Amino acid sequence: MGFWENVDSELKYQGKSRKELAQAFGFDPTTISKGISNNSVPLADMALKIADYLDVSLEYLLGLPEKSKATDDKANLEKSQALHFYHKYHDLIEKCEELSSDKIKLLSDVAGNFEKF
């Protein structure tokens, strides 16, 4: 996913709107949808400000592994990707947590059938 897609996903996760972000930095809310369509990235200073506003790393918004001396790049990339998918699908995950074990099994069976296609 691109920068603006990650920003949009993070905004949804945090319950913030595109309009709020745009107002905070003085740009038009359509900038986000245009950025998604064009797969663009803002100038570095704006990208850093947006990351700070969302309280996430710039690497996360760019879809890059975060810098860490404690773990190797592959593990770090996997962690970053897992966090991204959690943010993107957290509503669905929360709904699944409320399902009975029978319904979870049924959902798992259905998902397994999609792999055959």
Side-chain angles (χ1 to χ4, degrees):
M1 290 181 51
F3 178 88
W4 287 111
E5 289 173 306
N6 289 334
V7 167
D8 200 36
S9 176
E10 190 63 29
L11 284 169
K12 287 176 188 170
Y13 176 73
Q14 293 185 16
K16 297 177 181 177
S17 70
R18 290 178 174 187
K19 185 177 179 179
E20 288 175 285
L21 177 69
Q23 286 176 340
F25 295 103
F27 60 79
D28 191 286
T30 61
T31 299
I32 297 172
S33 56
K34 289 177 186 176
I36 291 170
S37 296
N38 298 330
N39 197 28
S40 65
V41 177
L43 295 174
D45 62 331
M46 180 60 68
L48 284 168
K49 288 176 184 177
I50 292 170
D52 187 51
Y53 175 83
L54 295 172
D55 197 28
V56 297
S57 71
L58 182 57
E59 290 89 355
Y60 172 75
L61 292 179
L62 292 169
L64 301 172
E66 297 188 33
K67 302 292 181 200
S68 173
K69 300 200 185 291
T71 59
D72 66 350
D73 285 341
K74 183 177 178 182
N76 209 7
L77 177 59
E78 289 172 1
K79 179 182 174 187
S80 179
Q81 288 171 335
L83 181 61
H84 169 76
F85 284 116
Y86 174 75
H87 284 189
K88 184 174 180 180
Y89 298 112
H90 76 280
D91 291 337
L92 181 60
I93 293 168
E94 287 179 1
K95 288 177 183 176
C96 288
E97 288 290 321
E98 297 170 5
L99 295 174
S100 67
S101 58
D102 291 341
K103 288 182 180 179
I104 291 173
K105 168 100 172 72
L106 179 63
L107 184 60
S108 179
D109 291 345
V110 169
N113 287 329
F114 281 117
E115 293 176 4
K116 296 177 184 176
F117 292 101

